[in-house]
Amino acid sequence: MSANDKTQMHAVAQAAGNATAGSAAHPVPDRHGANFYATDPELQSLLKLYLPADLLAHLQPCLQRMGELAGGRIDELAGIADRNPPELEHRTRAGQDSQCIIKHPAYEELERIAYGEFGLQAISHRDDMLGWQGKMPPIVKYALTYLFVQSEFGLCCPLSMTDSLTRTLKKFGAPGLVGKYLPQLLSLDWDEQAQGAMFMTEQAAGSDIANTLTMAAPQADGSWLLTGDKWFCSNPDAEFAMVLARVEGGAPGMKGISLFLLPRTLDDGSANHYRIIRLKDKLGTRSMASGEIRMDGAVAYLVGEQGRGFVQMADMVNNSRLSNGVRSAGMMRRAVAEAEFIAHERIAFGKRLEDMPLMQRQLDKLRVPAEQARTMVFQTAQTLMRSDAGEPNAYALLRILTPLIKFRACRDARKVTGDAMEVRGGCGYIEEWSDPRLVRDAHLGSIWEGTSNIVALDVIRAIKREGSLPVLQQYLHGLLDQAKLVPAYRKALEDALTRASALAEKAAQGGGLNGGEVLARQAATGLYNCTTAIAMAWEAAQTGSNERLRLSQLVLLHRVLPRDPLETAEVPAAWQE
Ligand SMILES: Cc1cc2nc3c(=O)[nH]c(=O)nc-3n(C[C@H](O)[C@H](O)[C@H](O)COP(=O)(O)OP(=O)(O)OC[C@H]3O[C@@H](n4cnc5c(N)ncnc54)[C@H](O)[C@@H]3O)c2cc1C
């Protein structure tokens, strides 16, 4: 540990008792040491709504523990790991060629918490997790991730890829392949446990996967040899990666692309034939390694059908996109919680910041997108569970909710983390605090797993191919029926949904400029805002939260309805009667 890290540990250790000490204790408020679950009554209330009572009661100690760690130890470790990025070594000290990524002990401790203590990568695949007998709904995994990511974002990428790779392998892999490798992926023993990765992107094939150049040659024993370069590979030393490659002599374009499982180690214990060329020097996620890979006859196994690679990989990508939405929601929650704490504790001009009208308005501007994303996490995770259970229409709904949360929540996280930084004043710009890391990390969500344009176009694809729009409309009308709203507010929500749906329809049908594509982002934003405003109103009715209803109305007022920039915008009295 460097002297700098020791100073940081000292600083946060002193602050630990300060989080609840009150503004009189010290003029510069420090929330370090707060329990992120115990200090989040809204999360507790939403979990009561979305999880069965017996499961939630069972999970309370686990949620409390994750909340405590996220506000304390995980936060300390994340700061250290961020300042000590991984390094790639190519040789042993004796001069043997053997690649190794050296990770800082702080990152390894984070890994032990996430994979070892909580088993976040395995929750969706085992029925004996966290002391609970039976399968747990995806909301459990996402609720714990939501707390964890408030302090550490980088590690959530390998966690999510391990979870998603396992899902894809189980869904499409041949029984022999699944039987051989699944136990390692699902092991809870730290020394045996294997991690996952996803190598898709090439220099000319990022959004445009059809340009994939990596080649796959069949072998007599049923395995394949992969040759080619992958340009962005997070967690590049993972035990397993899902790789897209083109089968020799296969169809051109997307139809010639197949999916392969690439183990890092061969059956005889030797290293597989690929090299990590270098690690990327990144703006954010600095704790976690992302690199470039060159495969030179690397042994791999076909997953699922030949030529269906992209379709099968889409399942893994969609799972990762949802996870990205959850992470952005978590980062926004952290930003808002810090801002609220500072506004409560910090005194200026003889007053608490939170008592100043302009600060109150700024805080609401942070809360609205953060709470929209939180609602969307629960709604999408619940739909994933229903889709996996084969409920009618649930897949079509999931297909549109997933890109909606990935698109809008990831974009909102950029702004919310940046604006929350300002609430801390000058300290917000200083690397000792969480704000700069949050801002840097938040910018990645809307680039990887599909950029904003690509994901917005996927919303339109879901409408065209899966018939998702009428399913979404029907679902939201069902929520409105249960939301017990005053007629004027219900009508305002219905009208907004009708207009947003018409815009989305126009984008899908090719109306407007450039065949409708140009409308994709505007349409996705409109659908997201209407979906969240309605779902938040529904949650308000179920939980009795006036605050959630107020936030729902602010979504409609400030993010959906037209307004004159030179007029004040007030919630109409008729919405509140
Ligand atoms: C830190 C980091 C880690 C990553 N980890 C991984 C990983 O583990 N595995 C992996 O496979 N990949 C990974 N990626 C790659 C990432 O998913 C890609 O960078 C991303 O999908 C964009 O691809 P690209 O870089 O080729 O950009 P391009 O596809 O060239 O896109 C450039 C711009 O063009 C726009 N664009 C492209 N097509 C269209 C269109 N049809 N309409 C309108 N606009 C369009 C895009 O929105 C974007 O703004 C990682 C990236 C980063 C930054």
Side-chain angles (χ1 to χ4, degrees):
M1 191 182 294
S2 70
N4 198 7
D5 295 336
K6 283 188 189 146
T7 313
Q8 170 82 359
M9 296 287 275
H10 169 77
V12 293
Q14 281 205 325
N18 220 10
T20 49
S23 49
H26 190 67
V28 181
D30 189 341
R31 186 166 164 261
H32 184 80
N35 181 319
F36 288 178
Y37 179 65
T39 56
D40 190 349
E42 201 68 15
L43 176 61
Q44 295 168 33
S45 154
L46 289 173
L47 284 172
K48 272 190 207 153
L49 177 59
Y50 286 97
L51 281 180
D54 56 342
L55 176 57
L56 180 58
H58 174 83
L59 289 172
Q60 285 300 342
C62 182
L63 289 159
Q64 288 286 353
R65 166 112 177 113
M66 183 61 104
E68 183 192 330
L69 285 170
R73 185 69 182 150
I74 295 174
D75 201 35
E76 287 163 25
L77 295 169
I80 297 169
D82 184 62
R83 285 188 302 281
N84 295 277
E87 287 174 14
L88 175 63
E89 289 194 353
H90 295 277
R91 285 191 150 189
T92 66
R93 65 180 182 181
Q96 288 162 315
D97 286 336
S98 170
Q99 291 201 309
C100 178
I101 295 180
I102 310 290
K103 295 167 185 166
H104 193 273
Y107 184 81
E108 288 178 343
E109 193 176 331
L110 287 168
E111 286 187 312
R112 279 172 193 270
I113 293 170
Y115 292 92
E117 180 174 346
F118 289 92
L120 293 176
Q121 77 290 359
I123 286 183
S124 295
H125 310 289
R126 295 180 59 124
D127 53 12
D128 58 349
M129 294 296 295
L130 306 173
W132 179 258
Q133 291 308 310
K135 209 154 171 76
M136 285 192 281
I139 286 173
V140 174
K141 169 181 69 183
Y142 292 128
L144 290 168
T145 304
Y146 180 81
L147 291 168
F148 184 91
V149 77
Q150 290 184 40
S151 287
E152 167 60 15
F153 174 76
L155 177 60
C156 290
C157 165
L159 261 182
S160 158
M161 289 196 297
T162 307
D163 172 36
S164 303
L165 179 143
T166 305
R167 178 183 163 96
T168 306
L169 180 64
K170 276 168 42 188
K171 206 164 171 177
F172 300 110
L177 196 63
V178 176
K180 184 172 175 186
Y181 292 124
L182 201 64
Q184 266 176 279
L185 286 158
L186 293 188
S187 171
L188 298 179
D189 178 338
W190 177 249
D191 294 323
E192 275 181 20
Q193 207 275 319
Q195 295 186 19
M198 180 169 75
F199 304 162
M200 288 196 303
T201 307
E202 300 181 6
Q203 290 178 13
S207 308
D208 191 1
I209 289 292
N211 281 337
T212 296
L213 293 177
T214 296
M215 297 306 294
Q219 300 302 293
D221 66 356
S223 68
W224 296 72
L225 297 187
L226 304 188
T227 305
D229 266 28
K230 292 290 176 182
W231 180 228
F232 277 98
C233 304
S234 293
N235 211 22
D237 62 341
E239 282 76 8
F240 300 105
M242 285 289 180
V243 183
L244 289 180
R246 190 169 285 291
V247 170
E248 279 176 0
M254 207 70 108
K255 289 196 173 129
I257 295 174
S258 300
L259 182 62
F260 297 88
L261 183 75
L262 174 80
R264 195 181 72 189
T265 309
L266 298 175
D267 288 348
D268 64 3
S270 64
N272 202 349
H273 309 295
Y274 64 89
R275 288 179 59 73
I276 305 168
I277 303 294
R278 60 172 179 166
L279 298 186
K280 304 277 196 192
D281 183 8
K282 298 176 286 179
L283 175 71
T285 61
R286 294 183 68 83
S287 62
M288 183 265 302
S290 301
E292 298 163 22
I293 298 267
R294 174 165 299 158
M295 291 165 288
D296 190 10
V299 177
Y301 302 95
L302 182 70
V303 176
E305 271 179 64
Q306 243 188 72
R308 300 268 303 160
F310 186 71
V311 177
Q312 292 166 184
M313 192 70 156
D315 187 73
M316 183 166 174
V317 169
N318 276 329
N319 223 35
S320 302
R321 285 182 177 171
L322 170 54
S323 169
N324 260 287
V326 175
R327 285 177 247 163
S328 290
M331 285 193 286
M332 283 193 270
R333 166 64 199 165
R334 174 73 189 269
V336 170
E338 293 290 322
E340 285 177 338
F341 180 80
I342 297 155
H344 181 70
E345 297 291 323
R346 177 83 169 162
I347 307 286
F349 302 98
K351 276 191 197 167
R352 290 178 188 274
L353 298 181
E354 69 180 8
D355 293 331
M356 299 170 176
L358 199 48
M359 178 58 82
Q360 287 166 357
R361 184 180 161 85
Q362 287 311 112
L363 290 175
D364 268 348
K365 285 175 87 168
L366 301 176
R367 283 182 194 117
V368 166
E371 292 303 328
Q372 285 181 273
R374 171 137 74 176
T375 289
M376 205 65 180
V377 166
F378 283 110
Q379 286 290 324
T380 315
Q382 195 178 51
T383 308
L384 171 64
M385 180 182 72
R386 291 178 178 160
S387 171
D388 283 349
E391 279 189 31
N393 286 336
Y395 177 71
L397 186 59
L398 181 67
R399 267 300 282 115
I400 193 163
L401 292 180
T402 303
L404 284 178
I405 186 174
K406 161 72 167 90
F407 168 66
R408 197 62 255 167
C410 293
R411 292 210 66 74
D412 286 346
R414 292 175 160 209
K415 182 154 170 46
V416 168
T417 52
D419 289 353
M421 174 159 94
E422 196 176 336
V423 176
R424 206 189 292 278
C427 285
Y429 199 66
I430 302 303
E431 286 282 353
E432 286 170 324
W433 301 87
S434 53
D435 311 73
R437 194 171 77 240
L438 276 179
V439 172
R440 287 187 277 110
D441 287 346
H443 274 68
L444 185 52
S446 49
I447 294 178
W448 65 7
E449 307 290 353
T451 57
S452 300
N453 284 357
I454 294 300
V455 176
L457 288 169
D458 193 45
V459 172
I460 305 306
R461 189 174 302 114
I463 293 173
K464 279 181 174 170
R465 294 204 186 152
E466 312 295 343
S468 293
L469 188 58
V471 175
L472 177 67
Q473 286 170 295
Q474 190 188 11
Y475 177 71
L476 293 176
H477 280 291
L479 292 186
L480 279 171
D481 287 342
Q482 296 169 25
K484 302 175 204 147
L485 298 171
V486 296
Y489 187 49
R490 176 174 176 145
K491 180 160 184 339
L493 286 170
E494 280 172 341
D495 289 350
L497 178 60
T498 303
R499 293 191 61 211
S501 303
L503 181 66
E505 193 63 46
K506 193 170 168 185
Q509 296 309 323
L513 293 170
N514 301 331
E517 267 191 21
V518 74
L519 300 174
R521 287 174 75 139
Q522 193 186 350
T525 297
L527 286 179
Y528 177 86
N529 286 330
C530 289
T531 300
T532 49
I534 291 170
M536 287 163 89
W538 173 82
E539 288 169 345
Q542 311 307 308
T543 61
S545 165
N546 290 333
E547 174 63 3
R548 216 143 190 85
L549 183 59
R550 185 182 79 91
L551 292 172
S552 159
Q553 294 180 341
L554 291 183
V555 173
L556 195 62
L557 188 67
H558 292 285
R559 305 197 84 185
V560 180
L561 295 184
R563 56 180 289 205
D564 180 344
L566 300 181
E567 287 289 338
T568 55
E570 303 287 346
V571 171
W575 290 4
Q576 293 171 320
E577 277 158 11

